[in-house]
Amino acid sequence: MMNQKKYIYNPTQARYYIEHGVLPLDVDLNIKTMRKFWVFDTQASAVVYDKWCKQCEEYRKQKQA
């Protein structure tokens, strides 16, 4: 199976991945948008991605309350 890559444009999310031990495969700049992005291995970041999603959901719930 080929390694799949996840492209993250949100610096807060990229920092979260790194703080939780998932290092980016690459960091680059989108020439069209001039936005920085981080490239992560999808499989290696799956657990942290789930944690990120749960954290975002909790944040949304708190904002709505």
Side-chain angles (χ1 to χ4, degrees):
M1 181 176 180
M2 289 181 53
N3 282 349
Q4 293 190 354
K5 297 176 183 175
K6 182 178 292 289
Y7 296 84
I8 304 293
Y9 281 84
N10 179 342
T12 304
Q13 184 177 2
R15 191 176 321 109
Y16 184 87
Y17 280 38
I18 294 165
E19 288 173 355
H20 285 82
V22 181
L23 297 179
L25 301 173
D26 197 11
V27 178
D28 208 343
L29 187 69
N30 182 312
I31 299 301
K32 288 185 179 181
T33 64
M34 297 307 290
R35 290 181 64 203
K36 184 177 184 178
F37 65 89
W38 293 258
V39 183
F40 293 93
D41 179 271
T42 301
Q43 187 175 0
S45 63
V47 172
V48 175
Y49 175 74
D50 287 341
K51 288 181 183 180
W52 170 259
C53 290
K54 288 176 185 170
Q55 176 180 299
C56 290
E57 185 61 31
E58 285 300 316
Y59 177 76
R60 277 189 222 103
K61 285 179 184 176
Q62 289 175 2
K63 266 192 105 164
Q64 290 175 352

